[in-house]
Amino acid sequence: MKGAAALLAAIRPSIRAGRDAAVVDPELTDLVERWMGEAISDIEDGLTTAGRLEPHQRHFRGVLAMAQLDFVAQNWDRADWKLTRDQMLDELSASWVQLLT
């Protein structure tokens, strides 16, 4: 869990900066979307390698997983979701396990 917390803390500024800057510069929107697309493809490839889910489900499950991570990373320090960081990581992890297995 501590590794996941460190990873989320490490990527949060990049995600937020990219999303905020994309409002001003449309070219950055493409950059952020390409980064998200790469991450989604990595999840899809992992699901394929692991033989998990049906082929038609893999890409969209990656989309859902990255949407969760993206939203949490952008909003964690702005929102009061009535849980601790460790609880949030437990919930996010449980959601990903259910989503990707």
Side-chain angles (χ1 to χ4, degrees):
M1 256 333 154
K2 289 182 182 182
L7 178 60
L8 186 59
I11 66 170
R12 180 178 38 232
S14 298
I15 291 173
R16 170 134 346 118
R19 293 285 185 198
D20 290 348
V23 172
V24 177
D25 186 347
E27 288 184 28
L28 291 175
T29 300
D30 292 337
L31 179 65
V32 170
E33 293 309 317
R34 281 196 313 268
W35 176 80
M36 289 290 286
E38 289 176 19
I40 291 164
S41 290
D42 289 346
I43 292 170
E44 181 180 8
D45 292 347
L47 292 171
T48 299
T49 300
R52 292 188 182 151
L53 306 172
E54 295 298 320
H56 72 276
Q57 295 174 301
R58 294 173 182 150
H59 182 81
F60 189 63
R61 295 287 183 104
V63 169
L64 295 174
M66 286 306 298
Q68 289 178 0
L69 180 62
D70 184 43
F71 188 83
V72 170
Q74 287 185 68
N75 294 289
W76 174 249
D77 59 351
R78 298 182 195 183
D80 181 11
W81 290 333
K82 312 274 188 264
L83 71 171
T84 67
R85 184 184 70 158
D86 287 342
Q87 290 168 329
M88 176 273 294
L89 290 170
D90 287 344
E91 293 296 326
L92 188 59
S93 297
S95 180
W96 271 42
V97 166
Q98 183 177 8
L99 188 63
L100 301 175
T101 58

